[in-house]
Amino acid sequence: MSHSRSFQPTIMATAFELDKIRCNPINERLATFRRRFESIRSELAVPSSSDGVQTVFSTAATADVKNLVLDLIQALQIEPAARILPSRIAERTLSGDLGLLYSRVDANQLDIAPAIPLVERIVRNEPDAPTWNDADIWHAVFELVARTNPITPPTAFEKAVFDTPLRSSSASQRGIEQTHDEVDQRILEELTGRVYYDVGGFYERYFERKSWTNNAREIYEEARAQYIEGRWSGWPEPSIQGPFFEWFMKFQHTVLSGLRRRYYTSANKVLRGSEADRKLDIFLTPADAALPDGEHDWSNVLVIGEHKQNPDEDRSAKTLVQLAGYAREVFGSQPERRFVPGFTICGSMMRLWVFDRSGPYNSEKFDIHKEPERFVKVLAGYAIMSDAELGLNTFIKRDSNGKYIVTRGVRISLEDKPIASTKAIVCRGTTCYRGRRSDSTEWEYVVKFAWPSDKRQREGELLKLAKERGVTGIAVWFNHEQITIDGDPDTIAHFRRDMKFGTPRKLSSKASWVDGSPESSRAYSKTSHRGRSGSGATHLMGLGIGASSVTTSSSGQKRKGDERLDGGSRLKRSKSNGSHASGTNVRIKESELDAIGAHSIQETVVDSLADCRNQWQRNNVDSIQEAGAESLTDCESETYGNRVHYCLVTSPAGRPLHEYQSVRELLEALRDAIRGHRSLLEDGKILHRDISENNIIITELPAKEAPKGRLIDLDLAKELDSMPSGARHRTGTMQFMAIEVLEGKGHTYRHDLESFFYVFVWMCIRYGYEGTGRHKPSKVVRPKTNILRGWYTGIYTEIARNKVGDMGKNRFENIIVEFAPKFENLKPLARELRSTLFPIRDGDIFTGTFHDHDIMYDGMIMAFNTAIGRLGKEEQSIA
């Protein structure tokens, strides 16, 4: 879409501008763009003539030209001169103009032909040309900005916020849905491209030059009596499970007795504290941690181990997924855990592992018979190393009164159990506790621990900004700080220092679920779809471990037959039953909007992952990967991102949504959280982007006019008009994601409101059985009766289609019929909210964003107020 306007040529550079341009020369910094342009020109066999740029723009693929222009805009935006030169059209810098230009080009809102004069200037000017050529380039930049600037500037809500590519995590599998098939599927997706094998220096990093290294060596010297003729005495051959465990326990009793930690096996017995019923081959716990009946609990597991009889299974995906499943259980039952060590023993081959919040990595394998000293020093090392070296969070202190932290000189006691936590491996690991001062009996604070990307703006900074701008209805900042452990920064980069990482494992093209992976652009821009295999074994082929793997990448093309939306993001219309029989996109002309009663519609950015990922990676490699001493890889890693452990303290304290004390309290909390979201957007100019059940709290003892519910967790929030953070991926809670977010569109306020709606529906189905005589099913519910299963299982496009179908008028009735007894009378509210968010047009539902945000905010808040009023009348009639 292009904007026509009368255009006045820009004036030549002023003396001030020329001075800044001379002091900040471009030099070599556009060389990468020139090389890329020359590569495209050469591939098209376009001669290097005066009209070469025009010819390239007219003959190259549209996506290639668009990416070329986006590369150029971003390269210019980070130039020192662009950050100093003032804009000629607004109160900002030229860099700010270029940021807005980037977003409009990316959203297909502009014809890119006006960029041709600028490209010509850059291509013709050689890098070593005199500085006055820079003035020509910046003049062309000013001219491009002026030519493409619309008559009226965009409103704060006219475009979507830039998104970091989205990846799912196994946190979507919760409660009774944590079957091995479903969880293992999500674990594979979560770990794809994030697994590093044969990391150089692993053993030295974790087991050498430690305060306890000599102790471990002494234990080995004592163990040498068990090592006879090049083998450990009594080793079973073959090492089948039963005899191996018997040998291992006997070996421990002989070699490792008397230590404060002990290894156990539970291969035939489920550990307590898990909903997934996982057993654990070998694990390390405190020696006194076993329960009276001999059972063990995941909350006490310090090191995880997996045994395989066959040495060929050392690099198999099955072995990895089993060990990763154990790590997920540890993170779930110990939510403040920093990382989880582990090992595998396949035959006599041992490999050491670490699972941190950016993924797993392992050592080179070794034969325990050929390297007996290493074998003993590893087992002994785990048993005697410090809590911090095992990945426990020693920032949290413990005494006879329980857990506490000290921040800003204030001792804050923590509640024993968190009010919110995430059960996954590669994620922010968000964990929230209620806290109170040591001299108080009232819960006053929410204390949050998380591992956000080091590229993201800190949540504490956003909360301080929101406080300064007068935002109401969200958490109030008290303090935030980066955590240090034993004087060292608690970051992934610090964990992985002094080691040599190679290339992470990539997706195999044979993966049956590849279409839903982030590596294939969330299934929005693929050229083909493949169905999910029902075989669990087929799913395990997805990691490409052991065999050579083929990387599957996005083609940037859209599949017509499966597409709901046209590329220009016009009025979005979808069949209410979720079917897409026709490949023709429904397009409604602007003149037809009044005829169907539609409001003005906001355009969203088209597929932030499919269209932007490649150029962002090319342009931001340096900013994404750690440089210098903390460089983690020798080559480009697609998914690695350094994470930083931090602690945030906010007030007031609150309870999680599912601890509502009445239906009224739940509705008031949801309504006030929506009000808080609106204030955050309008007053704070910040979009939340991660609405979920865990990110809304019920305020404890609020004042009369204070919000009953508040919005928390701004980890994924963005200031409006900000550029992408450079973070590799952002994770989300699948069941609460908006349809267009699942389809790859940029995030708008509407998508957060849609997520609020899904939270409401989720609460009404998953809770509300207490005190009614009916109970939630205790066994795994099959998809036929588990109505919400389709909201978080399957590939992204499947989930989006399921939600489209469920939001249609007829199928929505099948959803609300599952409301729990306590929420039966909220069905009218559910219908009203659905009508507000998904207005029906001739049998189709609208999933786009209105320019006038009052339409949806007012509609939802009024619906809640009406329902709360009805509850009041019902309570009076009962009384």
Side-chain angles (χ1 to χ4, degrees), residues 843-869:
D844 300 335
I845 66 170
F846 169 71
T847 62
T849 303
F850 296 132
H851 279 298
D852 183 0
H853 60 277
D854 289 343
I855 296 168
M856 288 187 173
Y857 276 114
D858 288 346
M860 293 187 73
I861 292 170
M862 288 176 62
F864 273 104
N865 282 335
T866 301
I868 293 167

Side-chain angles (χ1 to χ4, degrees), residues 512-523:
S512 62
W513 45 268
V514 68
D515 289 310
S517 79
E519 317 304 324
S520 55
S521 282
R522 275 192 284 180

